[in-house]
Amino acid sequence: MNMMDMFGKMKEVQSRMKDAQETLSAVTETGESGAGMVKVTVNGLKNILKIEIDPELIRPDEREMLQDLIVAATNKAMSNVEGKAREHLRQATEGLLPNIPGLNLDGLM
């Protein structure tokens, strides 16, 4: 692979990575807690899109538990979407770069 080919590949990788990052808003994941009583949906940009709360939990005496369940569901959704986003970016750049040991593109996310 000569230098001009390598620079061309890098430009293509940058372009595909930019396109993939722009479409991360369409990658979604939902985390649940309290046996599904609280659900939080996030996107690949790690923005919270929706919070669903079972009406049974919306009582003043359940406030602290509800707060804990929202945090747990949010953390689970964020953790789940991380892998999906990484896979989305990997697929967007698949075949563009040779398998170089130690090359980690996670920082571009």
Side-chain angles (χ1 to χ4, degrees):
M1 184 179 265
N2 69 36
M3 289 298 274
M4 291 306 289
D5 287 344
M6 197 162 93
F7 285 128
K9 287 281 189 194
M10 288 308 293
K11 281 191 173 279
E12 189 175 352
V13 167
Q14 287 175 330
S15 175
R16 281 206 193 167
M17 187 64 79
K18 183 178 181 239
D19 292 344
Q21 287 173 330
E22 289 172 359
T23 61
L24 280 175
S25 62
V27 175
T28 63
E29 186 65 43
T30 299
E32 297 182 6
S33 63
M37 295 181 83
V38 173
K39 298 176 186 176
V40 176
T41 302
V42 299
N43 66 17
L45 298 173
K46 298 183 181 175
N47 294 321
I48 296 173
L49 302 177
K50 179 171 51 171
I51 297 175
E52 299 173 70
I53 302 169
D54 187 301
E56 292 284 317
L57 290 176
I58 303 175
R59 297 191 312 233
D61 60 322
E62 299 292 337
R63 182 172 160 248
E64 193 171 318
M65 181 178 69
L66 177 58
Q67 291 169 339
D68 291 343
L69 291 172
I70 291 171
V71 169
T74 301
N75 288 335
K76 186 170 187 173
M78 292 290 189
S79 176
N80 291 345
V81 82
E82 183 80 25
K84 271 187 157 177
R86 189 172 283 124
E87 177 63 16
H88 178 78
L89 294 177
R90 185 194 65 73
Q91 287 178 355
T93 58
E94 191 170 49
L96 289 177
L97 292 176
N99 186 12
I100 302 171
L103 180 62
N104 185 351
L105 299 176
D106 289 347
L108 298 175
M109 208 170 83

